[in-house]
Coordinates of all heavy atoms in Angstrom, one line a residue:
M1 N 18.0 -9.4 99.2 CA 18.8 -10.5 98.6 C 18.1 -11.8 98.7 O 17.6 -12.2 99.8 CB 20.2 -10.6 99.1 CG 21.0 -9.3 98.9 SD 21.3 -9.0 97.2 CE 22.5 -10.2 96.8
S2 N 17.9 -12.6 97.7 CA 17.3 -13.9 97.7 C 18.2 -15.0 97.8 O 17.8 -16.2 97.9 CB 16.4 -14.0 96.5 OG 17.1 -14.0 95.3
G3 N 19.5 -14.7 97.9 CA 20.5 -15.8 97.9 C 20.6 -16.6 96.6 O 21.0 -17.8 96.6
R4 N 20.3 -16.0 95.5 CA 20.3 -16.7 94.3 C 21.8 -17.1 93.9 O 22.7 -16.3 94.2 CB 19.7 -15.9 93.2 CG 20.5 -14.6 92.8 CD 19.7 -13.7 91.9 NE 20.5 -12.5 91.7 CZ 21.3 -12.3 90.6 NH1 21.5 -13.3 89.8 NH2 21.9 -11.2 90.5
V5 N 21.9 -18.2 93.3 CA 23.2 -18.6 92.8 C 23.5 -18.0 91.5 O 22.7 -18.1 90.6 CB 23.3 -20.2 92.7 CG1 24.6 -20.6 92.1 CG2 23.0 -20.8 94.0
R6 N 24.6 -17.3 91.5 CA 24.9 -16.6 90.2 C 26.3 -17.1 89.6 O 27.0 -16.3 89.1 CB 25.0 -15.1 90.4 CG 26.0 -14.6 91.5 CD 26.0 -13.1 91.6 NE 27.2 -12.7 92.2 CZ 27.6 -11.4 92.3 NH1 26.8 -10.5 91.8 NH2 28.7 -11.0 92.9
W7 N 26.6 -18.3 89.9 CA 27.8 -18.8 89.4 C 27.7 -19.5 88.0 O 28.5 -19.3 87.2 CB 28.4 -19.8 90.4 CG 29.5 -20.6 90.0 CD1 29.6 -22.0 89.7 CD2 30.8 -20.1 89.6 NE1 30.8 -22.3 89.3 CE2 31.6 -21.2 89.2 CE3 31.4 -18.8 89.7 CZ2 32.9 -21.0 88.8 CZ3 32.7 -18.7 89.3 CH2 33.5 -19.8 88.9
R8 N 26.7 -20.3 87.9 CA 26.6 -21.1 86.6 C 26.2 -20.2 85.4 O 26.6 -20.5 84.3 CB 25.5 -22.2 86.8 CG 25.9 -23.2 87.8 CD 27.0 -24.1 87.3 NE 27.4 -25.1 88.2 CZ 28.5 -25.9 88.1 NH1 29.3 -25.8 87.0 NH2 28.8 -26.8 89.0
S9 N 25.4 -19.2 85.6 CA 25.0 -18.4 84.5 C 24.7 -17.0 85.0 O 24.8 -16.7 86.2 CB 23.7 -19.0 83.9 OG 22.7 -19.0 84.8
G10 N 24.3 -16.1 84.1 CA 23.9 -14.8 84.5 C 24.8 -13.7 83.9 O 25.8 -14.1 83.3
P11 N 24.4 -12.5 84.1 CA 25.2 -11.4 83.5 C 26.6 -11.2 84.0 O 27.5 -10.8 83.2 CB 24.3 -10.2 83.9 CG 23.5 -10.6 85.1 CD 23.3 -12.1 84.9
D12 N 26.9 -11.6 85.2 CA 28.2 -11.5 85.7 C 29.2 -12.4 84.8 O 30.2 -11.9 84.4 CB 28.3 -12.0 87.1 CG 27.9 -10.9 88.1 OD1 27.6 -9.8 87.6 OD2 27.8 -11.2 89.3
R13 N 28.7 -13.6 84.6 CA 29.6 -14.5 83.9 C 29.8 -14.0 82.4 O 30.9 -14.1 81.9 CB 29.0 -15.9 83.9 CG 29.9 -16.9 83.2 CD 29.5 -18.3 83.5 NE 30.4 -19.2 82.7 CZ 30.4 -20.5 83.0 NH1 29.7 -21.1 83.9 NH2 31.2 -21.3 82.3
D14 N 28.8 -13.5 81.9 CA 28.9 -13.0 80.5 C 29.9 -11.8 80.5 O 30.7 -11.7 79.6 CB 27.5 -12.5 80.0 CG 26.6 -13.6 79.7 OD1 27.1 -14.8 79.6 OD2 25.4 -13.4 79.7
L15 N 29.8 -10.9 81.5 CA 30.7 -9.8 81.6 C 32.1 -10.3 81.8 O 33.0 -9.8 81.1 CB 30.3 -9.0 82.8 CG 31.2 -7.8 83.1 CD1 31.2 -6.8 82.0 CD2 30.8 -7.1 84.4
W16 N 32.3 -11.3 82.6 CA 33.7 -11.8 82.9 C 34.2 -12.4 81.6 O 35.4 -12.2 81.3 CB 33.6 -12.8 84.0 CG 33.2 -12.3 85.3 CD1 33.1 -11.0 85.7 CD2 32.7 -13.1 86.4 NE1 32.6 -10.9 87.0 CE2 32.4 -12.1 87.5 CE3 32.6 -14.4 86.7 CZ2 31.9 -12.6 88.7 CZ3 32.1 -14.9 87.9 CH2 31.8 -13.9 88.9
T17 N 33.4 -13.1 80.9 CA 33.9 -13.8 79.7 C 34.4 -12.7 78.7 O 35.5 -12.9 78.1 CB 32.8 -14.6 79.0 OG1 32.3 -15.6 79.9 CG2 33.2 -15.2 77.8
T18 N 33.7 -11.6 78.6 CA 34.1 -10.6 77.7 C 35.3 -9.8 78.2 O 36.3 -9.6 77.5 CB 32.9 -9.6 77.5 OG1 31.8 -10.3 77.0 CG2 33.3 -8.5 76.5
R19 N 35.3 -9.5 79.5 CA 36.3 -8.7 80.1 C 37.7 -9.4 80.1 O 38.7 -8.8 79.9 CB 35.9 -8.5 81.5 CG 36.7 -7.4 82.3 CD 36.1 -7.4 83.7 NE 36.5 -6.2 84.4 CZ 36.1 -5.9 85.6 NH1 35.3 -6.8 86.3 NH2 36.4 -4.8 86.2
H20 N 37.6 -10.7 80.2 CA 38.9 -11.5 80.3 C 39.1 -12.4 79.1 O 39.8 -13.4 79.3 CB 38.8 -12.3 81.6 CG 38.6 -11.5 82.9 ND1 39.7 -10.8 83.4 CD2 37.6 -11.3 83.6 CE1 39.2 -10.2 84.5 NE2 38.0 -10.4 84.6
R21 N 38.6 -12.0 78.0 CA 38.7 -12.8 76.8 C 40.1 -12.9 76.3 O 40.6 -14.0 75.8 CB 37.8 -12.2 75.8 CG 37.8 -13.0 74.5 CD 36.7 -12.3 73.6 NE 36.9 -10.9 73.6 CZ 36.0 -10.0 73.2 NH1 34.8 -10.4 72.8 NH2 36.3 -8.7 73.3
D22 N 40.9 -11.9 76.4 CA 42.2 -11.8 75.8 C 43.3 -12.2 76.8 O 43.5 -11.6 77.8 CB 42.5 -10.3 75.4 CG 43.8 -10.2 74.6 OD1 44.5 -11.2 74.5 OD2 44.0 -9.1 74.1
C23 N 44.0 -13.3 76.5 CA 45.0 -13.8 77.4 C 46.2 -12.8 77.6 O 46.9 -12.9 78.6 CB 45.6 -15.1 76.8 SG 44.5 -16.5 76.8
E24 N 46.4 -11.9 76.7 CA 47.5 -11.0 76.7 C 47.2 -9.7 77.4 O 48.0 -8.8 77.6 CB 48.0 -10.7 75.3 CG 48.5 -12.0 74.6 CD 49.1 -11.7 73.3 OE1 49.1 -10.5 72.8 OE2 49.6 -12.6 72.6
S25 N 45.9 -9.5 77.8 CA 45.6 -8.3 78.5 C 45.5 -8.6 80.0 O 45.1 -9.7 80.4 CB 44.3 -7.7 78.0 OG 43.2 -8.5 78.3
E26 N 45.8 -7.6 80.8 CA 45.7 -7.9 82.2 C 44.6 -7.0 82.9 O 44.7 -5.8 83.0 CB 47.1 -7.5 82.9 CG 47.2 -8.0 84.3 CD 48.6 -7.8 84.8 OE1 49.5 -7.3 84.1 OE2 48.9 -8.3 85.9
A27 N 43.5 -7.7 83.2 CA 42.4 -7.0 83.7 C 42.3 -7.2 85.2 O 42.8 -8.2 85.8 CB 41.1 -7.5 83.1
G28 N 41.7 -6.3 85.9 CA 41.5 -6.4 87.4 C 40.3 -7.3 87.7 O 39.6 -7.7 86.8
F29 N 40.2 -7.6 89.0 CA 39.1 -8.4 89.4 C 38.3 -7.6 90.5 O 38.9 -7.0 91.3 CB 39.6 -9.7 90.0 CG 40.4 -10.5 89.0 CD1 41.8 -10.4 89.1 CD2 39.9 -11.3 88.1 CE1 42.6 -11.1 88.2 CE2 40.6 -12.0 87.2 CZ 42.0 -11.9 87.2
D30 N 37.0 -7.8 90.4 CA 36.1 -7.1 91.4 C 35.7 -8.1 92.5 O 35.2 -7.6 93.6 CB 34.9 -6.6 90.7 CG 35.2 -5.5 89.8 OD1 36.2 -4.8 90.0 OD2 34.4 -5.2 88.8
S31 N 35.9 -9.4 92.3 CA 35.5 -10.3 93.4 C 36.3 -11.6 93.3 O 36.9 -11.9 92.2 CB 34.0 -10.6 93.2 OG 33.8 -11.3 92.0
L32 N 36.3 -12.4 94.3 CA 36.9 -13.7 94.3 C 36.3 -14.6 93.2 O 36.9 -15.3 92.5 CB 36.8 -14.4 95.6 CG 37.7 -13.8 96.7 CD1 37.4 -14.5 98.1 CD2 39.2 -14.1 96.4
G33 N 34.9 -14.5 93.1 CA 34.2 -15.3 92.1 C 34.7 -15.0 90.7 O 34.9 -15.9 89.9
E34 N 35.0 -13.7 90.4 CA 35.5 -13.4 89.1 C 36.9 -14.0 88.9 O 37.2 -14.5 87.8 CB 35.5 -11.9 89.0 CG 36.0 -11.4 87.6 CD 35.9 -9.9 87.5 OE1 35.5 -9.2 88.5 OE2 36.2 -9.4 86.4
A35 N 37.7 -13.9 89.9 CA 39.1 -14.4 89.8 C 39.1 -15.9 89.6 O 39.8 -16.5 88.8 CB 39.9 -14.0 91.0
I36 N 38.2 -16.6 90.3 CA 38.1 -18.1 90.2 C 37.6 -18.4 88.9 O 38.1 -19.4 88.2 CB 37.2 -18.6 91.3 CG1 37.8 -18.4 92.7 CG2 36.8 -20.1 91.1 CD1 36.9 -18.7 93.9
F37 N 36.6 -17.7 88.4 CA 36.1 -17.9 87.0 C 37.2 -17.8 86.0 O 37.4 -18.7 85.1 CB 35.0 -16.9 86.7 CG 34.5 -17.0 85.3 CD1 33.6 -18.0 84.9 CD2 35.0 -16.1 84.4 CE1 33.1 -18.0 83.6 CE2 34.5 -16.2 83.0 CZ 33.6 -17.1 82.7
V38 N 38.0 -16.8 86.1 CA 39.1 -16.6 85.1 C 40.2 -17.6 85.2 O 40.7 -18.2 84.3 CB 39.7 -15.2 85.3 CG1 40.9 -15.0 84.4 CG2 38.6 -14.1 84.9
R39 N 40.5 -18.0 86.5 CA 41.5 -19.0 86.7 C 41.1 -20.3 86.1 O 41.9 -21.0 85.5 CB 41.7 -19.2 88.2 CG 42.9 -20.1 88.5 CD 43.0 -20.4 90.0 NE 41.9 -21.2 90.5 CZ 41.7 -21.5 91.7 NH1 42.5 -21.0 92.7 NH2 40.7 -22.2 92.1
T40 N 39.8 -20.6 86.2 CA 39.3 -21.8 85.6 C 39.3 -21.7 84.1 O 39.7 -22.7 83.4 CB 37.8 -22.1 86.1 OG1 37.9 -22.2 87.5 CG2 37.3 -23.4 85.5
A41 N 38.8 -20.6 83.6 CA 38.7 -20.4 82.1 C 40.0 -20.4 81.4 O 40.2 -21.0 80.3 CB 37.9 -19.2 81.8
H42 N 41.0 -19.9 82.1 CA 42.4 -19.8 81.5 C 43.4 -20.7 82.1 O 44.6 -20.6 81.8 CB 42.9 -18.3 81.6 CG 42.1 -17.3 80.8 ND1 42.5 -16.9 79.5 CD2 41.0 -16.6 81.1 CE1 41.7 -16.0 79.1 NE2 40.8 -15.8 80.0
G43 N 42.9 -21.6 82.9 CA 43.8 -22.5 83.7 C 44.8 -23.3 82.9 O 45.9 -23.6 83.4
G44 N 44.5 -23.7 81.7 CA 45.4 -24.6 80.9 C 46.2 -23.8 79.9 O 46.8 -24.5 79.0
H45 N 46.3 -22.5 80.0 CA 46.9 -21.7 78.9 C 48.4 -21.6 79.1 O 49.0 -21.1 78.2 CB 46.2 -20.4 78.8 CG 44.8 -20.4 78.4 ND1 44.1 -19.3 78.2 CD2 44.0 -21.5 78.1 CE1 42.8 -19.7 77.8 NE2 42.8 -21.0 77.7
G46 N 48.9 -21.9 80.2 CA 50.4 -21.9 80.4 C 50.8 -20.5 80.9 O 50.1 -19.6 81.2
P47 N 52.2 -20.4 81.1 CA 52.8 -19.3 81.7 C 52.7 -17.9 81.0 O 53.0 -16.9 81.5 CB 54.3 -19.7 81.9 CG 54.5 -20.7 80.8 CD 53.2 -21.4 80.7
E48 N 52.3 -18.0 79.7 CA 52.2 -16.8 78.9 C 50.8 -16.1 79.0 O 50.6 -15.1 78.4 CB 52.6 -17.0 77.5 CG 54.0 -17.4 77.3 CD 54.4 -17.6 75.9 OE1 53.5 -17.4 75.0 OE2 55.6 -18.0 75.6
C49 N 49.9 -16.8 79.7 CA 48.6 -16.3 79.8 C 48.5 -15.3 81.0 O 48.5 -15.7 82.2 CB 47.6 -17.4 80.0 SG 45.9 -16.8 80.3
L50 N 48.4 -14.0 80.8 CA 48.4 -13.0 81.8 C 47.1 -13.1 82.7 O 47.1 -12.8 83.9 CB 48.5 -11.6 81.3 CG 49.9 -11.3 80.7 CD1 49.9 -9.8 80.2 CD2 51.0 -11.5 81.7
Q51 N 46.0 -13.5 82.0 CA 44.8 -13.7 82.7 C 44.9 -14.7 83.8 O 44.4 -14.5 84.9 CB 43.6 -14.0 81.7 CG 43.3 -13.0 80.7 CD 42.6 -11.8 81.4 OE1 42.2 -11.8 82.6 NE2 42.4 -10.7 80.6
S52 N 45.5 -15.8 83.5 CA 45.6 -16.9 84.5 C 46.6 -16.5 85.6 O 46.3 -16.7 86.8 CB 46.2 -18.2 83.8 OG 46.4 -19.2 84.7
L53 N 47.7 -15.8 85.2 CA 48.6 -15.4 86.2 C 48.0 -14.4 87.2 O 48.2 -14.5 88.4 CB 49.9 -14.8 85.5 CG 50.8 -15.8 84.8 CD1 51.9 -15.0 84.1 CD2 51.4 -16.8 85.7
S54 N 47.3 -13.4 86.6 CA 46.8 -12.4 87.5 C 45.7 -12.9 88.4 O 45.5 -12.5 89.5 CB 46.3 -11.2 86.6 OG 45.4 -11.6 85.7
A55 N 44.9 -13.9 87.9 CA 43.9 -14.5 88.7 C 44.5 -15.3 89.8 O 44.0 -15.2 91.0 CB 43.0 -15.4 87.8
V56 N 45.5 -16.0 89.6 CA 46.2 -16.8 90.6 C 46.8 -15.8 91.7 O 46.7 -16.1 92.9 CB 47.3 -17.7 90.0 CG1 48.2 -18.3 91.1 CG2 46.6 -18.8 89.2
A57 N 47.4 -14.8 91.2 CA 48.0 -13.8 92.1 C 46.9 -13.1 93.0 O 47.1 -12.9 94.2 CB 48.7 -12.7 91.3
Y58 N 45.8 -12.8 92.3 CA 44.7 -12.2 93.1 C 44.2 -13.2 94.2 O 44.0 -12.8 95.3 CB 43.6 -11.9 92.1 CG 42.4 -11.2 92.8 CD1 42.4 -9.8 92.8 CD2 41.3 -11.9 93.3 CE1 41.3 -9.1 93.4 CE2 40.3 -11.3 93.9 CZ 40.2 -9.9 93.9 OH 39.2 -9.3 94.5
L59 N 44.0 -14.4 93.8 CA 43.5 -15.4 94.7 C 44.5 -15.7 95.8 O 44.2 -16.0 97.0 CB 43.1 -16.7 94.0 CG 41.9 -16.5 93.1 CD1 41.8 -17.8 92.2 CD2 40.6 -16.3 93.9
G60 N 45.8 -15.6 95.4 CA 46.8 -15.9 96.4 C 46.9 -14.8 97.5 O 47.5 -15.1 98.6
G61 N 46.4 -13.6 97.2 CA 46.4 -12.6 98.2 C 45.2 -12.6 99.1 O 45.1 -11.7 100.0
H62 N 44.4 -13.6 99.0 CA 43.2 -13.8 99.8 C 43.3 -15.1 100.6 O 43.7 -16.1 100.0 CB 41.9 -13.7 99.0 CG 41.7 -12.3 98.5 ND1 42.4 -11.9 97.4 CD2 40.9 -11.4 98.8 CE1 41.9 -10.6 97.1 NE2 41.0 -10.3 98.0
N63 N 42.8 -15.1 101.8 CA 42.8 -16.3 102.6 C 41.5 -17.0 102.4 O 40.6 -16.8 103.2 CB 43.1 -16.0 104.0 CG 44.5 -15.4 104.3 OD1 45.4 -15.9 103.7 ND2 44.6 -14.4 105.1
D64 N 41.4 -17.8 101.4 CA 40.2 -18.6 101.3 C 40.5 -20.0 101.3 O 41.7 -20.4 101.4 CB 39.4 -18.2 100.0 CG 40.2 -18.7 98.8 OD1 41.4 -19.0 98.9 OD2 39.6 -18.7 97.7
D65 N 39.5 -20.9 101.3 CA 39.7 -22.3 101.5 C 39.7 -23.1 100.2 O 39.6 -24.3 100.2 CB 38.7 -22.9 102.4 CG 38.8 -22.3 103.8 OD1 39.9 -22.1 104.3 OD2 37.7 -22.1 104.5
D66 N 39.9 -22.3 99.1 CA 39.9 -23.0 97.8 C 41.1 -23.9 97.7 O 42.2 -23.4 98.0 CB 39.8 -21.9 96.7 CG 39.7 -22.6 95.4 OD1 38.8 -23.5 95.3 OD2 40.4 -22.1 94.5
H67 N 40.9 -25.1 97.3 CA 42.1 -25.9 97.1 C 42.7 -25.8 95.7 O 42.1 -26.1 94.7 CB 41.6 -27.4 97.3 CG 41.2 -27.7 98.7 ND1 42.0 -27.8 99.8 CD2 39.9 -27.9 99.2 CE1 41.3 -28.0 100.8 NE2 40.1 -28.1 100.5
Y68 N 43.9 -25.3 95.7 CA 44.6 -25.0 94.5 C 45.7 -26.0 94.3 O 46.6 -26.1 95.2 CB 45.1 -23.6 94.4 CG 45.8 -23.3 93.1 CD1 45.1 -23.2 91.9 CD2 47.2 -23.2 93.1 CE1 45.7 -22.9 90.8 CE2 47.8 -22.9 91.9 CZ 47.1 -22.7 90.7 OH 47.7 -22.5 89.6
E69 N 45.8 -26.7 93.3 CA 46.8 -27.8 93.2 C 48.1 -27.2 92.7 O 48.2 -26.4 91.9 CB 46.4 -28.8 92.2 CG 45.9 -28.3 90.8 CD 45.3 -29.4 89.9 OE1 45.5 -30.6 90.2 OE2 44.7 -29.0 89.0
Ligands
LIG1 ZN1 44.4 -17.5 78.7

């Protein structure tokens, strides 16, 4: 491993964008990074966005230091 940053770009993000494109579908998450990405991407969609809700729920089940307002 070279410690490359794979947050800004790369195949993971492309996969996540496709996988979580539909607000009405509920997809699982393979990593915290994926959940954070989805939470950010769908963050302003409101209570009817299952992607946002499931991402928040996923992140809420983990003890990380992310500051969530
Ligand atoms: Zn959404």
Side-chain angles (χ1 to χ4, degrees):
M1 297 298 284
S2 61
R4 67 189 176 93
V5 177
R6 60 176 197 174
W7 170 246
R8 292 292 179 186
S9 63
D12 281 356
R13 184 167 177 165
D14 290 341
L15 174 65
W16 298 343
T17 299
T18 301
R19 192 183 200 180
H20 300 284
R21 181 177 46 201
D22 186 357
C23 292
E24 296 182 359
S25 69
E26 193 169 4
F29 303 97
D30 290 335
S31 66
L32 286 175
E34 183 174 1
I36 291 169
F37 172 82
V38 173
R39 190 186 66 184
T40 301
H42 290 268
H45 292 182
E48 295 183 0
C49 176
L50 291 181
Q51 293 290 352
S52 178
L53 290 176
S54 56
V56 170
Y58 183 91
L59 292 169
H62 290 77
N63 295 318
D64 67 345
D65 294 322
D66 187 45
H67 295 286
Y68 181 72
E69 51 186 346

